[in-house]
């Protein structure tokens, strides 16, 4: 009944209806608000009569009287539309207090200061929220009186001060409204209800509805609810609790309480609360009642609840219940336990765990109880918790790691040249670059901890030191970085290892039973592949061959190849790279035996492999028999203004067919060798950056010729079949997917580049404006993290339907970063893809998200 | 009957059927070839009988006999499919010669050398083309005998040598075929016909059909035609002629002839031919006959023809007729004249002039008769003919031009910093960059001559010299550049001015009557606008405001704005720019009074306005009260890895609203001032680089607020309405055009950027692979020159239909470089755009192309 009662009202009613002790009250419907506005701001006839009748019920239930000078009933008034609208009126508390009632409250609570404080709050709130007197006008008086009494904190002001304050507040009220503060409690209540009605059409509420496209609502409901107090003596108290342990998921009643206190005292941390289990010693009947409430709530909501309760003079009231926040670990355990308990079906349980939260289960984390000396905060680029000595270059990171040191690689930003150092380091910290910077993407791919774009870090490579907010750290100093929060901390914060729970395994089994979408992985090395397979990956959707060219000597051969003067020299250099590639592929095929390994041919622009280091350039020049100047000039000529849109991807294979030939030879040789060793190698060759069907036509032919030649050279006569497919990552490829499909065995949507080109955003530069775009709500999410379904998604859907119009059964997948993002996985499932490919550490997340997509679709189909 | 007779056969038949004297012959149909192949390479029964019957007719008509020892008839055999296929078999000439016939030919021609030469050619061609003996085998013998006789040229070998050569050729033939050279003329003919049949399925022919997607053909036809000779004495001759003057279009018979010569002699230039008019003195009857043929051909083809003819012993034969190539000037005159003559309707005439050829009428050209000392050839980036002294920087070009010198600006490449110098220079020559490089695009926009990417030019700025293929030129040397051919020449080649003919004016009138597509222009200055209006532009579709920020002091204010530390400093710098902008817009509105002026807000990334010049940086630092190092750092921070996809376009207005505010204020103030001066200003504001509807929503609101504020500040209460629209140049904007349209008064397709992003090609870098892509036929055309209708075109069509689904009458145009390309204009017409906008010099071309699109559509609709 949200439409009629508003969200808050409906929830209060629901709790009441399942027998929970909620402070009595009533809700004035949204219809009434509509009537008020339709009548041009006239309170509907008979409304206050109904209000009074309902007040009588509350008075009777609580044994108090509204406005009473002995045992006064206090009320709160809150707005509450069917959709949550933070732009609307705030709450008015303590309604019903006047001079007489204040004295009554003082007496009944044996706490005159409390009663005075409640009264001054009412005058302030009523004046501000209902009558439009500026809050600052009251604050001015408060400051004067605090100064007079020589106190700093509001809570330090004594009863005399509060007496004086109430006089001053009443004067402010009179001064700005022209009326005395109303002593008639029903006058207070009526004006408050009317103020809530009016608040429906104040400009900021209208604007809020416009911005959030909220339409079709009648108005706001008004919740009139009695106040209860946990600070009316030692038989009163207050607490917050979870129906299960939110950190571990254990099925225990978990929480805290304070005797003779108000709810805000628990939160504010002024007093230290006791564990809820100790309530037994104080009031065991109340504790038993709470345990009953736990059961009732979980039976009703079938979900772990987070509650607030107050005991007013031995009477328990539930003030709020809501779904409790929990860690990933707890989410999994609770979901699985609730299936065991018969509360949920396994499919429902799958929907209960936010897939991304599995991340927390898979990575080491800092011990949450350990102290943290936080220096600054960067972007949480790749989860994990790492501590290490500082190293300032990739080479240094490699060298010191070999010596047995644990180091963090600290760089302004990273580039492909740095990968060996990045791989060696325990974690990566950069001062520039965003969530999708090179450092971030590579680190996530490896599940390596990374904090990126920590702008307050000043790196002085010359001095081998970083300065962070005035503190300087050198190469023998330890820093810790938290990839889940972006925190950078001094020293080594202790970590704890993840343990995969039984419940995790169970949940994954259910997920695998449910899902239709396969989960593959992006992996370039046998180590990555093995890890991913351990996490349940069903194939490699993207093996980036370029990472293979940076290790050891290879980078020199690669550079010789790039700088070669002619095809013959190029081939000589490539011949040196061939055995390395073959070995790499052999390792991958072996690890992934029986599963597809999709190998992307060389993709990045060649200058990414070069270096500005003069001494390396000199070595190169010597190796190639060239003048240093010639080498430098050629490196300069390879520089591009927009390398992202330049000479890369399949364009390299068009202009330098010998690179493709080397790679295809290495793949075929490795596959044949595997077969002869009894390993079921299943390579697939993927041509990147195709924009026209003719590129694929030509390169597929070259690839197949080379496969045939290699088979012949190896006297191979078996059935090895190497499918040849393409990435769809250029808008034009998606637009003309029917033409492209004629030459492809499979499509793999490269949504990183597709997003770059569809939006016209360079991933490397987007941080200059993306923060503004998110702040101004131009974009809901970073489109590099979660697939833009309305724009980029159209191209993916177009690619799928046009591709399948030519080849009905064509295998289609996605291998962009989005393959590990749950919302994007949902999209991929609905778009009819066969698989998503993501980094090894995200494989479990993707398995769960894929299952959730299936369950969600089933639900819709059932409707 | 092309399908049956092939192209060549059908054409020969057509000439014969309109009574033209064609050497007798016959065509064997494509069906016959199909039969031959279907039968697995068996000559169809009865074929040679039919051939003999037809030969008899030819013999009778010519009074010669095939194989005769006294007056031999010689035949040629040529393949000819329905579609021209250069990959197929060559011609075999002189069939029917044997030892005896050779003697007969010697006698009848009174030229034994001629007969011997014909015979040796037959043995060579027949051996090579029909029997597969390598041509080099014959060449070897020829070389030996030429050496023996001490001659260098084939034509210098005397009769003895030729006698010896024939013996040697026969030996080669025997050696490689195992048979004697056939003396039976019908054996020669039959083998030749069969060879043509076979050639249909040779690999290179099959490959040619695959590449060019030629399908559905039966096979090739075989044309058997008698040979005629113009070198059989003084009553023989040969010539080529045009039915009108191909340079001017004048309706005269225009051509050349040679007495006692073969066709190839006219072409080879060994002898100097006489003007055709002089034939009157030699054989006035033949001349009269040719004039009759001219009339017959033009009546039949309704088009200027280019013919080849031969007179063999007083008998005239027409060997070929085809549509004659002509200059743009001639094309216009011929088309208009033919309407006057009643041969064509005006709509047909419009289709007869290739729209791009109008270019030639509008730009100064080098005198075609002047000698040219061509040093190298670059890309013909912007037509025109310029000569000047060499200047090596923009500043130098400005300075020397002010001194009255005429200079060419010679740069490796140009950037926006160079525009003042580019504008000042008489022409631009770059050593890198392509047809769409900065230099090329800007130059074309101005109609300024530019040769780009002349890779053989080595520029040494230090020495102020260029070296081209070993020759060096300094700042006092003159070079000439031809923007239509890409030629770079030493010295100043004389030019001639264009004169717009009466016929041009008439043709343009017809074009304007026919077309529905409006033609607007891209213009940034009143000068450009005035020129464009003179050429018939109906509005400004793109005024790039950034060009306005480079002139004089403005660049300093601009740099101050960019480097400002905060919004207040930025506003101060912008306040200085405001009066300049206002003046610029005022000038444009005045020039374009009554027509729309579409102003694009600031588009390029800010770092394009900065400089690496240390002394200017130092000045800036002083002006801004900053350390030089601070200025340098900020310039460095503005550097982007892919500026094309970075912080530019509307993204600038989102993050720096004050730039938009300044520009909108200047536009509104200028428009109101105009109105008060009685000028009908019609500004439209265009937001660039929109990718999401929310960008446009926000910026439109800011724009409208600013317009309202400015009106108020100027006490303006009139009806000035400034439409606000957007460019559709990001794929996502096209994909979500329905959302975007909700906030736009018009769409302008920015097909330059749309092409960059749809293909993933950076215009600045595309030359690293584009040449290979065109060579390997991956792309048919440079997509930056002619709109890629199958990919980018889909997005344009999507933008139109989605946009109009929301706003049925929305005005839509195109303002990319494609707006001046005839094929792209045809696409725009069909896509339902309202206007194309192109550079001033292309306005007439666009008017004609738009008319052609209308006529073509009418034709299709009629079908």
């Amino acid at each position: 009944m949200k439409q009629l009662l508003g969200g808050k009202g409906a929830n209060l009613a629901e709790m009441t209806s399942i027998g929970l002790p909620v402070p009595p009250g009533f809700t004035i419907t949204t219809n009434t608000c509509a009537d008020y506005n339709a009548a041009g701001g006239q309170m509907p006839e008979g409304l206050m009569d109904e209000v009074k009748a309902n007040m009588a019920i509350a008075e009777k239930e609580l044994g108090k009287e509204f406005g009473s000078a002995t045992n006064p009933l206090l009320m709160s008034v809150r707005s509450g539309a069917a959709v949550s609208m933070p732009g609307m009126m705030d709450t008015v508390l303590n309604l019903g207090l006047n001079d007489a009632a204040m004295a009554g409250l003082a007496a009944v609570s044996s706490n005159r200061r409390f009663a005075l404080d409640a009264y001054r709050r009412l005058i302030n709130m009523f004046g501000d929220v209902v009558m439009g007197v500026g809050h600052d006008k009251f604050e001015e008086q408060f400051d004067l009186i605090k100064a007079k009494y020589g106190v700093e904190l509001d809570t330090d002001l004594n009863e005399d001060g509060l007496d004086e304050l109430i006089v001053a507040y009443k004067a402010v009220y009179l001064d700005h409204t022209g009326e005395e503060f109303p002593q008639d409690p029903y006058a207070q209540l009526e004006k408050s209800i009317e103020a809530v009605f009016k608040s429906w059409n104040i400009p900021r509420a209208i604007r809020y509805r416009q911005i959030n496209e909220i339409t079709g609502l009648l108005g706001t409901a008004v919740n009139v609810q009695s106040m209860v107090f946990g600070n009316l003596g030692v038989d009163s108290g207050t607490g917050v609790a979870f129906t299960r342990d939110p950190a571990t998921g254990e099925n225990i009643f978990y929480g805290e309480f304070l005797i003779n206190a108000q709810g805000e005292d628990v939160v504010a941390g002024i007093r230290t609360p006791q564990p809820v289990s100790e309530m037994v010693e104080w009031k065991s009947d109340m504790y038993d009642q709470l345990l009953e409430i736990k059961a009732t709530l979980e039976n009703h909501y079938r979900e772990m609840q987070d509650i607030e309760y107050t005991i007013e003079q031995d009477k328990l009231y539930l003030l709020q219940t809501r779904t409790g926040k929990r860690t990933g670990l707890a989410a999994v355990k609770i979901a699985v336990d609730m299936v065991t308990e018969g509360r949920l079906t396994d499919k429902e349980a799958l929907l209960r765990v936010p897939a991304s939260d599995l991340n927390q289960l898979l990575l080491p984390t800092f011990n949450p109880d350990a102290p943290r000396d936080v220096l600054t905060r960067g972007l949480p680029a790749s989860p994990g918790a790492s501590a290490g000595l500082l190293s300032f270059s990739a080479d240094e990171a490699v060298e010191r790691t070999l010596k047995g040191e644990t180091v963090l690689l600290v760089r302004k930003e990273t580039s492909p040249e740095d990968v060996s150092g990045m791989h060696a380091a325990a974690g990566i910290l950069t001062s520039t670059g965003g969530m999708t910077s090179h450092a971030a993407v590579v680190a996530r791919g490896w599940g390596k901890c990374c904090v990126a774009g920590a702008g307050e870090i000043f790196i002085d490579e010359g001095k081998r030191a970083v300065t962070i907010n005035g503190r300087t750290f050198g190469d023998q100093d330890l820093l810790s970085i938290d990839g889940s929060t972006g925190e950078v901390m001094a020293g080594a914060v202790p970590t704890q290892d993840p343990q995969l729970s039984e419940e995790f395994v169970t949940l994954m089994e259910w997920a695998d039973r449910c899902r239709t979408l396969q989960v593959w992985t992006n992996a370039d090395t046998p180590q990555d592949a093995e890890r991913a397979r351990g996490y349940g990956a069903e194939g490699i959707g993207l093996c980036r061959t370029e990472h293979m060219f940076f290790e050891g000597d290879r980078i020199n051969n690669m550079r010789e190849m790039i700088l070669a003067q002619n095809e013959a020299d190029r081939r000589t250099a490539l011949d040196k790279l061939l055995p390395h590639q073959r070995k790499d592929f052999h390792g991958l095929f072996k690890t992934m035996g029986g599963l597809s390994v999709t190998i992307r041919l060389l993709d990045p622009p060649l200058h990414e492999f070069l270096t500005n280091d003069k001494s390396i350039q000199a070595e190169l020049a010597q190796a190639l028999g060239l003048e240093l100047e010639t080498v430098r000039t050629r490196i300069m000529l390879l520089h591009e203004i927009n390398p992202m849109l330049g000479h890369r991807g399949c364009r390299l294979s068009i202009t330098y067919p010998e690179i493709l030939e080397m790679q295809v030879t290495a793949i075929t040789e490795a596959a044949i060798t595997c077969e002869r060793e009894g390993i079921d190698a299943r390579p697939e060759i993927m041509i990147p950056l195709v924009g026209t069907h003719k590129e694929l036509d030509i390169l597929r032919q070259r690839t197949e010729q080379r496969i045939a030649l290699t088979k012949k050279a190896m006297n191979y006569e078996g059935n090895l079949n190497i499918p040849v497919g393409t990435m769809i990552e250029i808008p034009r490829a998606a637009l003309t997917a029917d033409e492209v499909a004629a030459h492809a065995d499979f499509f793999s949507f490269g949504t990183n580049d597709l997003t770059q080109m569809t939006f016209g955003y360079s991933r490397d530069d987007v941080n200059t404006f993306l923060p503004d775009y998110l702040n101004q709500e131009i974009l809901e999410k970073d489109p590099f993290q979660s697939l833009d379904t309305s724009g980029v998604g159209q191209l993916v859907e177009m690619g799928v339907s046009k591709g399948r119009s030519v080849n009905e059964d064509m295998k289609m997948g996605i291998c962009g970063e989005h393959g590990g993002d749950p919302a994007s996985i949902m999209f991929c499932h609905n778009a009819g893809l066969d698989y998503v490919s993501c980094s090894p550490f995200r494989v479990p997340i993707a398995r769960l998200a894929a299952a959730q997509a299936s369950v969600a679709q089933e639900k819709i189909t059932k409707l």
Side-chain angles (χ1 to χ4, degrees), chain A residues 236-256:
Chain A
S236 298
T238 190
V240 294
F242 291 85
T243 58
R244 311 216 169 185
D245 185 331
T248 65
E250 209 184 332
N251 189 358
I252 53 166
F253 191 56
Y254 179 99
E256 300 168 323

Side-chain angles (χ1 to χ4, degrees), chain A residues 355-356 358-359 362 444-445 447 504 508 511-512 515 517-523 528-541 592 817 819-822 825 836-851:
Chain A
S356 298
L358 293 187
N359 217 15
L362 301 169
R444 275 202 294 281
F504 173 80
M508 284 292 111
D512 290 346
R515 70 191 162 91
L517 198 62
Q518 291 185 42
V519 176
W520 295 21
T521 192
N522 301 345
D528 286 350
E530 198 167 346
R531 179 179 296 127
R533 208 172 174 167
Y535 284 140
E538 298 162 282
I540 291 181
M592 297 301 288
E817 285 279 304
D821 169 66
I825 291 167
V836 296
S837 187
C838 58
S839 57
F841 281 97
R842 294 195 80 83
V843 166
I845 295 169
R847 285 160 68 197
L848 177 54

Side-chain angles (χ1 to χ4, degrees), chain A residues 233-412:
Chain A
V234 291
D235 55 356
S236 298
T238 190
V240 294
F242 291 85
T243 58
R244 311 216 169 185
D245 185 331
T248 65
E250 209 184 332
N251 189 358
I252 53 166
F253 191 56
Y254 179 99
E256 300 168 323
F257 76 104
L258 272 175
I259 297 171
N260 195 14
Q262 277 187 295
E264 60 200 56
D265 298 333
V266 181
V267 180
I270 299 172
R271 288 165 57 192
T272 308
Q274 295 169 262
V276 75
S277 56
E278 293 176 11
M279 260 184 81
V280 181
E281 292 152 35
W282 175 47
K283 291 199 181 283
S284 67
D285 56 335
M286 294 285 151
Y287 185 66
D288 290 346
Q289 203 184 333
L290 278 171
L291 291 183
E292 265 169 51
I293 287 171
K294 166 184 180 328
T296 308
L297 283 170
E298 288 205 340
N299 284 337
H300 182 72
Y301 288 104
R302 304 161 70 230
E303 196 27 314
M304 187 261 261
Q305 295 293 301
D306 165 5
I307 60 172
E308 285 179 29
Y309 59 92
T310 283
I311 296 162
E312 182 181 293
Q313 294 171 322
D314 279 338
K315 196 150 187 227
L316 178 69
Y317 296 99
L318 209 56
L319 301 183
Q320 174 164 288
T321 186
R322 58 185 173 190
T323 300
K325 288 200 195 308
R326 69 208 77 179
T327 64
L329 191 71
V332 172
K333 179 160 172 60
I334 291 169
V336 174
D337 283 353
M338 284 201 173
V339 175
T340 315
E341 293 158 17
R343 292 186 204 278
L344 298 180
T345 67
D346 51 2
K347 283 183 182 172
E348 285 169 329
L350 287 169
L351 295 179
R352 283 291 169 82
V353 181
S356 298
D357 286 2
L358 293 187
N359 217 15
Q360 299 166 29
L361 279 70
L362 301 169
L363 298 169
T365 52
F366 287 120
N367 186 330
D369 302 326
R372 298 182 175 205
D373 177 6
V374 178
L375 301 165
T376 185
R377 193 184 279 265
L379 298 169
S382 177
S386 299
L389 301 169
L390 306 188
S391 67
F392 298 89
S393 75
D395 288 348
E396 181 187 346
V398 171
E399 217 169 284
R400 291 176 66 181
T401 302
L402 283 175
K403 280 190 202 155
E405 290 184 88
T406 301
V407 297
L408 297 181
L409 178 61
V410 185
R411 304 278 294 161
K412 188 156 172 295

Side-chain angles (χ1 to χ4, degrees), chain A residues 195-248:
Chain A
V196 172
F197 287 158
K198 278 186 182 151
S199 74
W200 180 251
N201 278 330
I202 56 173
R204 68 176 166 159
I206 292 173
R207 178 86 192 122
Y208 185 88
R209 290 197 292 274
Q210 278 175 345
I211 290 175
N212 294 280
E213 292 170 10
I214 299 171
T215 53
L217 298 189
L218 295 167
T220 180
V222 185
N223 300 296
V224 182
Q225 195 178 16
S226 51
M227 307 271 310
V228 291
F229 297 96
N231 53 350
L232 292 185
V234 291
D235 55 356
S236 298
T238 190
V240 294
F242 291 85
T243 58
R244 311 216 169 185
D245 185 331
T248 65

